[in-house]
Amino acid sequence: MLLRLKKDTGMRYLRFNGIFSDRLFVAAADASGNPVYNFAYVDMVLDFLHSIALKPWIQLSFMPRVLALHPNKYLFNDNVSQPRVKNILDNYDRLSSYGFWSLTDLMSDAPVPELPFFGGGLFTRKGIPKASYFAFFLLAKLGSDLVERGDGYFMTEENGPYQILMYNYQHFSTLYANGEKFDMTGTDRYTVFANKEPKILHVRIENLPQGAWRIRETYINRDAGSVFDAWVRFGSPDILTEDEELYLRNAAAPGYCERTAAATEDGVLCFDEKLEFLEIRLAVVEPMTRDNR
């Protein structure tokens, strides 16, 4: 999972929660009650991260019981909400980096989840990437130069092609923010959204050479890239069979399509996009050449 995360999203750091906890046997007590230190497991973890070019971001939180003043008292960090593409793009000018709380649904401070989808990480406990993972995948494909941004879109350019990340962002109900869960269940998590309508975006790019342009689109919605919705569609079983797990692994991929459009004599290229509820779509617009026809 870490190798895939590094390759697909360009993540540079990995946060460690509890690296000095008893699970890594950093400290134990000898016969006289004095602490004895052993950093062998910590070294193994850090050496592996170094081998795949990930830097550790070590959180000094949990500590060995033999060193704790109150060994039976634990401090837990508050959970944080999942980052949304809109929030990252809205803070583009102030951001030097962004992150996510947990890699997988296997949490160090919680039991192993019984259901296939727990809600905490970018991957399920079986290592299947979720829709949130592919959101970072699309963000990593944006170019280096900001061209324009507006309500529901963010356009960049890098070495010729344009990258346009579009999203149908919907905020959950104010009542939900105050604790009212409506009829939300483990298999229906959309009841807290008041507006589930599609969004139409009119894309316009100017100052282009006249001629044919190719538009390559990668998208995530409830029908493509969301293994949670795929799981719900076949009955949301608590325990997955081998065939069901294989189906979800194969479903764990964004949708993809291509089309062409023409830039006018005035150098303007226009096209429309229809985004489904909570959809994220990346359109890469590049000139047609003999190599990409």
Side-chain angles (χ1 to χ4, degrees):
M1 286 185 286
L2 285 176
L3 288 171
R4 180 173 182 176
L5 180 77
K6 172 72 176 176
K7 175 179 177 293
D8 287 350
T9 70
M11 291 285 186
R12 296 175 295 162
Y13 292 88
L14 184 70
R15 181 185 66 88
F16 272 97
N17 177 356
I19 194 170
F20 298 130
S21 70
D22 288 331
R23 290 189 178 122
L24 292 182
F25 302 99
V26 171
D30 62 16
S32 301
N34 299 314
V36 178
Y37 301 101
N38 185 334
F39 292 95
Y41 282 127
V42 174
D43 287 341
M44 290 172 62
V45 171
L46 296 180
D47 287 345
F48 170 72
L49 290 183
H50 179 71
S51 72
I52 62 173
L54 273 176
K55 298 178 181 179
W57 182 19
I58 297 176
Q59 176 183 334
L60 301 178
S61 53
F62 301 102
M63 64 186 304
R65 286 177 179 267
V66 298
L67 302 180
L69 180 62
H70 303 288
N72 295 320
K73 185 176 181 180
Y74 291 88
L75 296 177
F76 294 91
N77 294 301
D78 290 333
N79 196 13
V80 296
S81 61
Q82 292 190 3
R84 296 181 181 272
V85 167
K86 176 182 183 298
N87 292 340
I88 292 174
L89 297 181
D90 282 351
N91 291 279
Y92 174 83
D93 295 330
R94 297 187 296 273
L95 278 178
S96 59
S97 62
Y98 54 82
F100 198 84
W101 182 252
S102 179
L103 178 66
T104 79
D105 284 350
L106 297 173
M107 302 289 193
S108 62
D109 52 2
V112 176
E114 296 181 359
L115 294 176
F117 293 90
F118 173 67
L122 296 174
F123 291 86
T124 71
R125 62 185 177 90
K126 291 293 190 72
I128 303 174
K130 303 180 187 178
S132 51
Y133 175 85
F134 292 116
F136 283 104
F137 173 74
L138 295 186
L139 280 166
K141 294 184 178 297
L142 286 172
S144 56
D145 299 322
L146 173 63
V147 176
E148 182 182 340
R149 61 181 171 187
D151 181 21
Y153 73 93
F154 192 90
M155 185 187 305
T156 63
E157 185 271 337
E158 185 169 343
N159 299 325
Y162 289 80
Q163 305 83 27
I164 310 164
L165 192 58
M166 297 161 281
Y167 49 92
N168 182 0
Y169 173 80
Q170 299 296 335
H171 201 68
F172 47 74
S173 166
T174 303
L175 291 175
Y176 175 73
N178 291 327
E180 172 58 54
K181 295 184 178 180
F182 300 92
D183 297 323
M184 187 173 68
T185 66
T187 57
D188 186 354
R189 302 180 184 179
Y190 300 107
T191 59
V192 298
F193 295 97
N195 184 8
K196 301 182 180 66
E197 296 300 316
K199 183 184 185 75
I200 304 297
L201 287 178
H202 306 285
V203 180
R204 177 186 174 95
I205 310 176
E206 300 179 347
N207 301 317
L208 298 180
Q210 182 181 6
W213 288 71
R214 184 172 70 162
I215 305 171
R216 297 186 289 110
E217 301 183 27
T218 308
Y219 54 92
I220 310 161
N221 55 34
R222 296 180 68 176
D223 295 319
S226 173
V227 290
F228 168 77
D229 288 289
W231 171 66
V232 170
R233 282 194 294 271
F234 66 71
S236 56
D238 292 350
I239 300 176
L240 297 176
T241 66
E242 184 176 338
D243 287 343
E244 289 168 343
E245 182 177 330
L246 178 61
Y247 173 81
L248 289 182
R249 291 189 185 279
N250 291 332
Y256 182 82
C257 62
E258 293 187 7
R259 55 176 160 154
T260 59
T264 65
E265 185 177 351
D266 296 332
V268 177
L269 185 147
C270 297
F271 59 94
D272 292 338
E273 293 284 7
K274 179 181 179 181
L275 304 182
E276 299 299 331
F277 166 59
L278 297 181
E279 180 174 325
I280 306 168
R281 182 175 292 251
L282 176 73
V284 177
V285 182
E286 57 191 4
M288 292 286 289
T289 65
R290 289 184 178 180
D291 294 335
N292 66 15
R293 287 183 186 273

